[in-house]
Coordinates of all heavy atoms in Angstrom, one line a residue:
L1 N -79.1 -28.1 4.9 CA -80.1 -27.8 5.9 C -81.3 -27.1 5.3 O -81.1 -26.3 4.4 CB -79.4 -26.9 6.9 CG -78.2 -27.5 7.7 CD1 -77.5 -26.4 8.5 CD2 -78.7 -28.6 8.5
S2 N -82.4 -27.3 5.9 CA -83.7 -26.7 5.4 C -84.0 -25.4 6.3 O -83.7 -25.5 7.5 CB -84.8 -27.6 5.6 OG -84.6 -28.8 4.7
K3 N -84.5 -24.4 5.7 CA -84.9 -23.2 6.4 C -86.2 -23.5 7.1 O -87.0 -24.2 6.4 CB -85.0 -22.0 5.5 CG -83.7 -21.6 4.9 CD -83.9 -20.4 4.0 CE -82.6 -20.0 3.3 NZ -82.8 -18.9 2.3
P4 N -86.6 -22.9 8.2 CA -85.7 -22.2 9.0 C -84.6 -23.0 9.6 O -84.9 -24.2 10.1 CB -86.5 -21.6 10.1 CG -87.7 -22.5 10.2 CD -87.8 -23.1 8.9
V5 N -83.4 -22.6 9.6 CA -82.2 -23.4 10.1 C -82.1 -23.4 11.6 O -82.2 -22.3 12.2 CB -80.9 -22.8 9.5 CG1 -79.7 -23.6 10.1 CG2 -80.9 -23.0 8.0
D6 N -82.1 -24.5 12.2 CA -81.9 -24.7 13.7 C -80.5 -24.3 14.0 O -79.5 -24.7 13.5 CB -82.2 -26.1 14.1 CG -82.0 -26.3 15.5 OD1 -82.9 -26.0 16.3 OD2 -80.9 -26.8 15.9
D7 N -80.3 -23.4 15.0 CA -79.0 -22.9 15.4 C -78.1 -24.0 15.8 O -76.9 -24.0 15.4 CB -79.2 -21.9 16.6 CG -79.9 -20.7 16.3 OD1 -80.2 -20.4 15.0 OD2 -80.1 -19.8 17.2
G8 N -78.6 -25.0 16.5 CA -77.8 -26.2 16.9 C -77.3 -27.0 15.7 O -76.2 -27.4 15.7
D9 N -78.2 -27.1 14.7 CA -77.8 -27.9 13.6 C -76.7 -27.2 12.8 O -75.8 -27.8 12.3 CB -78.9 -28.2 12.6 CG -80.0 -29.2 13.2 OD1 -79.6 -29.9 14.1 OD2 -81.1 -29.2 12.7
L10 N -76.9 -25.8 12.7 CA -75.8 -25.0 12.0 C -74.5 -25.1 12.7 O -73.5 -25.3 12.1 CB -76.3 -23.6 11.8 CG -75.3 -22.7 11.1 CD1 -75.0 -23.2 9.7 CD2 -75.8 -21.3 11.1
E11 N -74.5 -25.0 14.0 CA -73.3 -25.1 14.8 C -72.6 -26.4 14.7 O -71.4 -26.5 14.5 CB -73.6 -24.8 16.3 CG -72.4 -24.8 17.1 CD -72.6 -24.3 18.6 OE1 -73.8 -24.2 18.9 OE2 -71.7 -24.2 19.3
R12 N -73.4 -27.5 14.7 CA -72.9 -28.9 14.5 C -72.2 -29.0 13.1 O -71.2 -29.6 12.9 CB -74.0 -29.9 14.7 CG -73.6 -31.3 14.4 CD -74.8 -32.3 14.7 NE -76.0 -31.9 14.1 CZ -76.4 -32.2 12.8 NH1 -75.5 -33.0 12.1 NH2 -77.5 -31.8 12.3
C13 N -72.9 -28.5 12.1 CA -72.4 -28.5 10.7 C -71.1 -27.8 10.6 O -70.2 -28.2 9.9 CB -73.4 -28.0 9.7 SG -74.8 -29.1 9.5
L14 N -71.1 -26.5 11.2 CA -69.9 -25.8 11.2 C -68.7 -26.5 11.8 O -67.5 -26.5 11.3 CB -70.1 -24.4 11.9 CG -70.8 -23.3 11.1 CD1 -71.2 -22.2 12.0 CD2 -69.9 -22.8 9.9
R15 N -68.9 -27.0 13.0 CA -67.8 -27.8 13.6 C -67.3 -28.9 12.7 O -66.1 -29.1 12.6 CB -68.3 -28.4 15.0 CG -68.2 -27.4 16.1 CD -68.3 -28.1 17.4 NE -69.4 -29.0 17.5 CZ -70.6 -28.7 18.0 NH1 -70.9 -27.5 18.4 NH2 -71.6 -29.6 18.0
S16 N -68.3 -29.7 12.1 CA -67.9 -30.7 11.3 C -67.0 -30.2 10.0 O -66.1 -30.8 9.7 CB -69.1 -31.5 10.8 OG -68.8 -32.5 9.9
A17 N -67.6 -29.1 9.4 CA -66.9 -28.7 8.3 C -65.5 -28.2 8.6 O -64.5 -28.4 7.8 CB -67.7 -27.5 7.7
L18 N -65.3 -27.6 9.7 CA -64.0 -26.9 10.1 C -63.1 -28.0 10.7 O -61.8 -27.8 10.7 CB -64.2 -25.8 11.1 CG -65.0 -24.6 10.4 CD1 -65.3 -23.5 11.4 CD2 -64.1 -24.0 9.3
N19 N -63.6 -29.1 11.3 CA -62.8 -30.1 11.9 C -62.3 -31.1 10.9 O -61.2 -31.6 10.9 CB -63.4 -30.7 13.0 CG -63.5 -29.8 14.2 OD1 -62.7 -28.9 14.4 ND2 -64.7 -30.0 15.0
S20 N -63.2 -31.6 10.1 CA -62.9 -32.6 9.2 C -63.3 -32.4 7.7 O -62.8 -33.1 6.8 CB -63.5 -34.0 9.6 OG -64.9 -33.9 9.5
G21 N -64.3 -31.6 7.5 CA -64.9 -31.4 6.2 C -65.7 -32.7 5.7 O -66.2 -32.7 4.6
K22 N -65.9 -33.7 6.6 CA -66.7 -34.9 6.2 C -68.2 -34.6 6.4 O -68.6 -33.9 7.3 CB -66.3 -36.0 7.1 CG -64.9 -36.5 6.9 CD -64.6 -37.7 7.7 CE -63.1 -38.1 7.5 NZ -62.7 -39.2 8.4
P23 N -69.0 -35.1 5.5 CA -70.4 -34.9 5.6 C -71.0 -35.4 6.9 O -70.6 -36.4 7.5 CB -71.0 -35.8 4.5 CG -69.9 -35.9 3.5 CD -68.6 -35.9 4.3
V24 N -72.0 -34.6 7.4 CA -72.6 -35.0 8.7 C -73.7 -36.0 8.3 O -74.5 -35.7 7.4 CB -73.2 -33.8 9.3 CG1 -74.0 -34.1 10.6 CG2 -72.1 -32.8 9.8
E25 N -73.8 -37.1 9.0 CA -74.8 -38.2 8.7 C -76.2 -37.7 8.7 O -77.0 -38.0 7.8 CB -74.6 -39.3 9.6 CG -73.3 -40.1 9.4 CD -73.2 -40.9 8.2 OE1 -74.2 -41.3 7.7 OE2 -72.2 -40.9 7.6
E26 N -76.6 -36.9 9.7 CA -78.0 -36.6 9.8 C -78.4 -35.2 9.3 O -78.7 -34.3 10.1 CB -78.4 -36.7 11.3 CG -78.2 -38.1 11.9 CD -78.4 -38.2 13.3 OE1 -79.0 -37.2 13.9 OE2 -78.1 -39.2 13.9
N27 N -78.3 -35.0 8.0 CA -78.6 -33.7 7.4 C -80.1 -33.8 7.0 O -80.6 -34.8 6.7 CB -77.8 -33.5 6.2 CG -76.3 -33.3 6.5 OD1 -76.0 -32.4 7.2 ND2 -75.5 -34.2 6.0
S28 N -80.7 -32.6 7.2 CA -82.1 -32.6 6.8 C -82.4 -31.5 5.8 O -81.8 -30.6 5.7 CB -83.0 -32.6 8.0 OG -82.7 -31.5 8.8

């Protein structure tokens, strides 16, 4: 993620990391 980090993007990444650990397709 690029700064400034969007809260929604961070939350989505956290959910992905904690649920599956698989990379999120739409990272910026």
